[in-house]
Amino acid sequence: MLPILQVRSLYYAYPPPAPELSPVEVLRDVSFDVPAGSVFGVLGPNGSGKTTLLGTVLEILYPTAGRFLWFDKDPTPAQRRRIGTLLETPNFYPYLTGSQNLEITASIRGTGADQIAQVLEQVGLHTYATLPFSKYSLGMKQRLAIGASLLGNPEVLVLDEPTNGLDPAGIADIRKLIVQLSGQGKTLILASHLLDEVE
């Protein structure tokens, strides 16, 4: 079976902060394959380039050199819709409910509006669907963000530090959810600075 994601000799450098300085190299000759149906860990300390790597393969950033393939093809908008993402901190409207925020996400993506109730159930937020986002705990906010990434039923989920800033109960909830999603046959790419988290 072909890998879901193939990365080959990927480089990324930020422009120099001043003309007399060199570019800031973040990724150097990165190559790997992500097997279909796996939970694939991207492990490294804070500042090591994990978010830059994920941003590059999601075409938020453009690599300085190298290439990557999704589903054994060069990336296209149609392929991008097969991938759900959670990068950095979840951004939702604080005065809208969890359900309303997901409605906006579905509208922007053009898919998943009919799945909102199912997604809220899946991430354990169905009883909080009408609660304003500003009232959510950190763990609930992370679960809503994962729920947003599930709209459209993507085959792949890319999660950047999904337990960042959570208390032990919130971490346990997210870990359990990741295991459940993996059990449904989804491929997960999980970035973390915590070895035990990736394990």
Side-chain angles (χ1 to χ4, degrees), residues 42-56:
V42 178
L43 182 66
N46 289 331
S48 63
K50 298 184 302 298
T51 299
T52 300
L53 171 63
L54 297 182
T56 301

Side-chain angles (χ1 to χ4, degrees), residues 94-112:
Y95 51 87
L96 295 180
T97 67
S99 182
Q100 289 169 331
N101 272 295
L102 290 188
E103 286 172 15
I104 291 172
T105 302
S107 176
I108 291 169
R109 290 191 184 164
T111 185

Side-chain angles (χ1 to χ4, degrees), residues 39-186:
V39 179
F40 186 90
V42 178
L43 182 66
N46 289 331
S48 63
K50 298 184 302 298
T51 299
T52 300
L53 171 63
L54 297 182
T56 301
V57 299
L58 292 170
E59 298 186 292
I60 297 166
L61 302 170
Y62 292 97
T64 307
R67 69 186 300 226
F68 56 91
L69 302 175
W70 283 103
F71 311 103
D72 202 37
K73 296 178 182 174
D74 287 319
T76 65
Q79 288 175 338
R80 180 69 183 82
R81 286 190 287 275
R82 297 167 68 183
I83 305 164
T85 61
L86 166 58
L87 293 182
E88 302 282 0
T89 306
N91 289 314
F92 292 106
Y93 293 103
Y95 51 87
L96 295 180
T97 67
S99 182
Q100 289 169 331
N101 272 295
L102 290 188
E103 286 172 15
I104 291 172
T105 302
S107 176
I108 291 169
R109 290 191 184 164
T111 185
D114 58 334
Q115 301 168 341
I116 290 171
Q118 173 193 337
V119 161
L120 287 168
E121 176 85 32
Q122 196 169 6
V123 298
L125 291 175
H126 55 285
T127 57
Y128 304 99
T130 60
L131 189 69
F133 182 74
S134 60
K135 304 288 186 185
Y136 279 26
S137 68
L138 277 176
M140 292 165 69
K141 289 176 180 178
Q142 286 293 92
R143 283 189 278 160
L144 187 68
I146 293 173
S149 74
L150 289 170
L151 291 171
N153 195 27
E155 300 167 49
V156 182
L157 291 174
V158 178
L159 307 176
D160 186 16
E161 302 276 4
T163 62
N164 200 23
L166 302 185
D167 60 19
I171 291 171
D173 285 347
I174 298 301
R175 285 181 177 174
K176 182 179 176 184
L177 178 58
I178 287 169
V179 170
Q180 289 171 348
L181 293 169
S182 173
Q184 296 169 11
K186 294 189 184 298

